[in-house]
Amino acid sequence: MRIGMKLDYSGGFVEAVEELRDLERVGLDVVYVAEAYSFDAVSQLGYIAAKTERLRIASGILPIYSRTPTLMAMTAAGLDYVSGGRFTLGLGASGPQVIEGFHGLPYQAPLGRTRELVEICRKVWRREAVVHEGKHYRIPLPAEQGTGLGKPLKLINHPLRARIPVMLAAIGPKNVSLAAEIAEEWEPIFFHPGKAAEVFGPALDEGRARRDPELGELGISIGVPAAVGTDTEQALHAVRAQLALYIGGMGAKGKNFYNDLACRYGYEEEAGRTQDLYLAGRKEEAAAVLPEELVRALCLVGTEDEVAERLAGYAAAGVTTLSLQPVGPDAGDRAARIALVERVAALAAG
C-alpha cells in the first residue's frame, strides 16, 4: 500500500515543498495538489517535480470543465515530462458551486464530458491526429461552428508515456462505474472499508466488466484523516467537524453528494439532521449528531494497534494508496507530520 499526502501550503508553499524532501525520505510515495478556486495546481506540480527525485506527483484534482480536453492532455504530458514519468492526472467534475460560481460555465453532463475528455487525452498522448466527433466535444471544430479552417493536429512533442495514468474522483454510482471502466485509479472520498463492497461494489463490478484489460487492475486511492497515539480526542473532534462541513454544508439541500453518500452508508436520518443543523448555522450541534461509528470508520485515528488493524481493513477492501491528512493538536507541526508518515508507512509495510 502506497502512502500519500495532499500538499498543505497554508504555512508557505516553498516551506511545504522543502518538507516533502523529508517526507519522501521516510516513506511518502505520492503527493497530491488540489485545485478548487485557489492557485492553479499545475505551476505548483511543476515546481515539486523539480524539487523531488522519487516522489510521484498527482493532481488531486483538476476539474474537467476548466480546461479544454487537448489542453488537459498537453498539461499532463508536460508534467509527466518534467517529472521524469512520475505524474498522475487526477480529474473530477467538482460541483456547480465552483464550476458555475467561479468559472462561469454550466455544470452539465459530467459523465459524458469525462469519458470524452479521457478519450481525447489518450489520443494526444499517442500522438494521433486529434479527430473527435462526440456529443460534447468536436475536434476539429466543424465549419458551421467556426471559420472552417481547423485541421486535425497531433502533439508536436513526444510524451514520455503514451498512457499517462488517469485517476477519477467519484462517489456516485454512475461516476464510480465510469472510473472502474476507463481509469487507472479511482479516488473516492469518505471511504468506509466495512461498507465499501455494499455501497460501491455493484458500480465497480459494472465498470470492470467493460474495462480494457490493458489498463491493468484498478487502483483505489483514498484520503484519510490520520493521527497515531493514545490521546486522540482532539483528532477525532477535528474529523467530526470536517465531516459535518461536507455532509451538512457542502452543497444545497437535495444537491449534496457527500450527504447522499452518508445516506447510502445507512445514516440517512443522521445525515438529514446534520444538514438541517449545519445550514441553520448550528455547526457544533450538526457535528454532534454524527454517529461515533461513522466518524471512526472514516479516519485512521487511534493507537498503533488500532491503526494497524484499520490498515489491514483498507487492504482487504482493495485500497492501494492512502493519502494521509494529519489531524489533531500537532497537525501543523512539521516534525509531527514527518513522524506520522514514518509510523504509518512502517505499519503498512508490516
Side-chain angles (χ1 to χ4, degrees), residues 7 13-14 17-18 20-21 24 31 33 41-58 78-87:
L7 183 73
F13 177 70
V14 174
V17 174
E18 289 298 319
L20 286 178
R21 294 176 177 174
E24 184 178 29
V31 62
V33 179
V42 175
S43 58
Q44 295 169 81
L45 285 161
Y47 185 86
I48 293 169
K51 293 292 184 177
T52 55
E53 297 177 0
R54 177 189 59 82
L55 197 65
R56 298 172 186 239
I57 61 174
L79 286 170
D80 202 51
Y81 179 77
V82 298
S83 66
R86 291 183 282 141
F87 179 65

Side-chain angles (χ1 to χ4, degrees), residues 124 127 154-159:
V124 173
R127 296 194 71 244
K154 66 179 180 180
L155 190 68
I156 294 173
N157 310 85
H158 290 257

